[in-house]
Amino acid sequence: MNRIITLDEFIIKKQKDFDFASGELTGLLRDIGVAAKIVNREVNKAGLVNILGTEGEANASGDTVQKLDMYANDKLIDCLKNSGECCGIASEENEDFIPIPPVAGKDAKYVVVFDPLDGSSNIDVNVSVGTIFGIYRRKSKASGPCELQDFLQKGTDLVAAGYVLYGTSTILVYTTGRGVNGFTLDPTIGEFCLSHRDIKIPNRGNYYSVNQGYYLKFDVEMRRYIDHCSDMNLRMRYIGSMVSDIHRTLLQGGIFLYPNTRKYPKGKLRLLYECNPLAFIVEQAGGKAINTNLERIMEQDAHELHQRETIVIGSPEMVDEMKAFIERYSIPGYKVEG
Ligand code: AHM
Ligand code: MG
C-alpha cells in the first residue's frame, strides 16, 4: 500500500515552494478543508431532510433546519472568521462583502471569494453539487478593514483557488499556481487524501457540455459550433452543476460552454465566484478559459461583486477550435434579439 498523504500534510510541504511563505495561506487552505468536511457531512444527510425536519423547523436536537446552500454559506463564513488569516469574504449568497475583524490582534492579508454550494437546485434529486473558492491578497492597507477593491481583482491576481465536489465521493481540487492536485475524502478516517497528483487536462476529449435546451437562444455562430460538436460525434454531457461538469472535463478532456442567451445576455455564471477560480484551475492543468468575446477569462476587469460572464473552458485544442469557429461565423454587431 502506498503511503497516504493527507491534504494538511501536502499543504504544509508545499509551503516551502514559496519564498517568504509565513504559513498564513497554508492555514487558510487548511481551514477551507475543514469547512468542506462539515458541509460534506450535511450534504450527505440531505435526503433525510424530511426525517430530520423541514426547513425553518427545529430538528430533534433543537437546531433550526436550514436550506443547505445557506448552511454551507454559514459554515464557510464561520470557519474563515475564526481562521485569523482572512480579513474579508465575498459570497455568491451575500449581496455585499463581509469584513472580518482581526483575530488575536493580527492583521490578516487575504480575502476569500466563494460560491458555497454551486448547482444547489440539484440537491433535492441527489445530483452532485460543489463549493468553489478563490483567495486574493488584499490590496487595501493591512491595518484597516477590507475594501471592495480587495475583491474586484482580476483572475490573474488569484493566489489560490479550488473546488470541492460532493459526488459519488467527495474530492477537493486546488491550485496555488504551481499545478493542480486533487484529494479524495476518506470518510472512515475523515481526511482528504492525495488521490490525483499534478492533474493535466487532455488536449482534446470526447465530450461537450452545454445546456442544449437553450440552442435557439444562442447566437448563430454558437449554434454552428454546437452543430459542429454534434457532427464530430462528440458526446453531450450536461449535469447542470458546474463543478461536476468541470471536474469531468478536467479529468477526461472536453469543452464546457455557458454562452450568452436571451435571458442572460452577459452569461449566467459569476466572474468572481465561478468563472475565475475554475479558469485558474483549468489553466494550471494546461487548459484554456475564454469568454464568447474570445478574451481570456482571467484577464477580465471586475466591476462588481456579482458580475456575470460568458465562459468557454476546457481542453486547449477544443477551446482554440471553438475560437476559430466563432471568428469564422460571427457577423459583426449581430446578436440574437431578446
Ligand atoms: P447556482 O450558482 O445558482 O447554483 O447556478 C450555477 C449553476 C451552475 O452550476 C450550472 O452550470 C448552471 O448554473 C446551470 O444553469 P442552467 O440550468 O441555466 O443550465
Ligand atoms: Mg453558483
Side-chain angles (χ1 to χ4, degrees), residues 12-19 21 176 178:
I12 290 165
K13 270 194 187 149
K14 285 286 162 187
Q15 188 183 321
K16 297 193 198 102
D17 287 356
F18 297 92
D19 298 336
T176 51
R178 302 201 177 183

Side-chain angles (χ1 to χ4, degrees), residues 76-326:
L76 272 152
I77 293 173
D78 280 355
C79 284
L80 292 170
K81 267 189 178 162
N82 295 320
S83 156
E85 314 298 0
C86 174
C87 66
I89 295 165
S91 160
E92 199 189 292
E93 294 292 343
N94 294 86
E95 189 66 27
D96 221 335
F97 66 86
I98 304 168
I100 298 181
V103 174
K106 189 177 137 197
D107 294 323
K109 60 177 183 230
Y110 294 105
V111 296
V112 179
V113 293
F114 59 79
D115 182 353
L117 216 54
D118 183 63
S120 50
S121 63
N122 284 318
I123 293 168
D124 292 345
V125 286
N126 258 11
V127 173
S128 307
V129 289
T131 297
I132 309 171
F133 64 89
I135 302 176
Y136 290 98
R137 199 166 281 117
R138 71 182 298 179
K139 287 191 144 180
S140 56
K141 273 208 288 298
S143 51
C146 68
E147 296 171 13
L148 183 60
Q149 55 158 330
D150 297 322
F151 300 94
L152 298 185
Q153 302 194 48
K154 290 185 183 183
T156 46
D157 296 320
L158 278 166
V159 174
Y163 63 77
V164 186
L165 171 60
Y166 312 98
T168 42
S169 54
T170 296
I171 183 165
L172 185 151
V173 173
Y174 85 96
T175 183
T176 51
R178 302 201 177 183
V180 181
N181 291 283
F183 300 80
T184 301
L185 182 64
D186 180 341
T188 60
I189 57 170
E191 292 282 1
F192 281 107
C193 303
L194 181 61
S195 52
H196 296 68
R197 193 189 280 272
D198 198 16
I199 299 173
K200 295 286 175 224
I201 189 168
N203 280 334
R204 313 186 60 84
N206 291 324
Y207 300 112
Y208 71 107
S209 187
V210 65
N211 190 334
Q212 199 136 353
Y214 300 150
Y215 183 83
L216 295 176
K217 298 174 180 73
F218 293 146
D219 294 338
V220 176
E221 61 270 25
M222 187 53 69
R223 289 189 235 163
R224 291 290 83 81
Y225 176 70
I226 291 168
D227 294 344
H228 168 74
C229 290
S230 172
D231 275 351
M232 299 269 292
N233 287 326
L234 293 184
R235 282 172 255 166
M236 212 283 281
R237 293 281 187 281
Y238 189 73
I239 297 170
S241 186
M242 191 185 188
V243 176
S244 314
D245 282 315
I246 293 296
H247 187 63
R248 181 196 55 251
T249 306
L250 194 64
L251 297 189
Q252 301 193 331
I255 189 163
F256 172 93
L257 308 103
Y258 206 113
N260 48 294
T261 62
R262 290 179 196 165
K263 186 171 172 194
Y264 297 113
K266 293 181 177 162
K268 175 188 177 187
L269 300 170
R270 314 288 177 152
L271 178 65
L272 261 64
Y273 313 113
E274 291 157 335
C275 300
N276 271 335
L278 295 174
F280 189 25
I281 292 168
V282 168
E283 283 197 6
Q284 279 294 314
K288 293 192 174 178
I290 59 174
N291 61 19
T292 52
N293 291 327
L294 312 182
E295 299 155 341
R296 187 177 171 215
I297 290 287
M298 289 181 67
E299 288 175 9
Q300 297 311 298
D301 287 321
H303 304 291
E304 49 179 319
L305 290 176
H306 295 276
Q307 188 169 324
R308 295 182 192 269
E309 185 56 271
T310 57
I311 189 163
V312 178
I313 181 169
S315 292
E317 287 181 12
M318 295 173 83
V319 173
D320 287 345
E321 213 167 73
M322 177 273 172
K323 191 173 170 195
F325 242 88
I326 297 294

